[in-house]
Amino acid sequence: MSRHGRRVELAPGYVLHHRAWRDTSRILDVFARDHGRLALFARGVRGPKSKLASVLQPFQPLLLSWSGHGDPGQLTRAEPGGEDGREATGPLPPAALMSGWYLNELLLKLTTRLDPQPALFGAYEAALGALRSGAAVAPGLRRFEMALLELLGYGLDLQHEARTGRPIEPGSYYHFHAALGFVALSSDPGAEAVSGASVQALAADRLDDARTLDDARRVMRAALDHLLE
């Protein structure tokens, strides 16, 4: 290791967020496939002669190089493209930008710094690909939320009722408790009930029905809110 600390060369990653630092520089929050989430100082990238300002944009696959003893590091190089040679593919469609920022916010709030998460990195890339393709937004977001919970160790049991262990029944209704799971309802299900058919569809990745998507949205919101608290 040199006096400048370790060096990382051309690591696949994404910029999640950036903020101004001093007069011409930025601090980048990045998510790197083999290094996890970390901060990098990017010097001079706000200057009039900077060639990196247009490269260091969120939602674009990048190859990042940096040096330093820890977090934050010092960005030394950045270029478009992922680990398989993909080039940057332009910005997300305007209608998908809010969803893209939502994905980034989840990663910023729920991942641990310097904790490599290659599978989660892949799920993030898949979610961005779905947003960029113009496909329906909701199914892609639900899939990413499911993967995020699973890969962080908070996966949902979509097969069994929480108190009895009985299989989820498509004709039954359940209340989702974030700290417990799906609890069967014995009376009028009410507006907050989740149908067993929706739970089974979510488990099978069949997110093509309006009721299923609405139930899945409420379940994911409750699970993520509980985790964020």
Side-chain angles (χ1 to χ4, degrees), residues 95-109:
L97 281 174
M98 289 299 295
S99 296
W101 288 118
Y102 170 70
L103 299 179
N104 286 7
E105 191 73 9
L106 288 179
L107 290 175
L108 286 167
K109 288 185 175 180

Side-chain angles (χ1 to χ4, degrees), residues 45-70:
V45 297
R46 296 166 56 217
K49 297 182 179 180
S50 173
K51 297 180 180 180
L52 287 181
S54 62
V55 174
L56 295 170
Q57 297 299 316
F59 314 126
Q60 296 302 303
L62 300 173
L63 294 173
L64 300 167
S65 300
W66 66 87
S67 64
H69 292 284

Side-chain angles (χ1 to χ4, degrees), residues 146 149-150 154-159 176 178 181-182 202 219-220 223:
M146 283 283 293
L149 289 169
E150 184 69 32
Y154 299 95
L156 307 182
D157 183 353
L158 301 172
Q159 305 296 333
F176 177 71
F182 293 94
L202 185 58
V219 168
M220 293 297 107

Side-chain angles (χ1 to χ4, degrees), residues 5 13 15 20 39 43-44 64 68 70 80 98 102 104 111 115 132 150-151 177 209 213 217:
V15 173
R43 297 180 184 275
L64 300 167
M98 289 299 295
Y102 170 70
N104 286 7
T111 57
D115 178 23
R132 189 171 279 112
E150 184 69 32
L151 293 169
H177 295 265
D209 175 81
L213 284 170
R217 177 186 58 80

Side-chain angles (χ1 to χ4, degrees), residues 121-187:
F121 185 89
Y124 176 70
E125 285 200 311
L128 289 182
L131 292 177
R132 189 171 279 112
S133 73
V137 168
L141 294 183
R142 301 297 84 80
R143 290 186 176 103
F144 178 76
E145 290 165 341
M146 283 283 293
L148 177 67
L149 289 169
E150 184 69 32
L151 293 169
L152 294 182
Y154 299 95
L156 307 182
D157 183 353
L158 301 172
Q159 305 296 333
H160 305 97
E161 199 272 344
R163 291 198 170 116
T164 65
R166 293 173 182 168
I168 296 291
E169 298 289 344
S172 298
Y173 288 87
Y174 301 84
H175 182 75
F176 177 71
H177 295 265
L180 186 62
F182 293 94
V183 176
L185 298 173
S186 57
S187 58

Side-chain angles (χ1 to χ4, degrees), residues 34 38 62 112 180:
D34 300 317
L38 68 154
L62 300 173
T112 302
L180 186 62

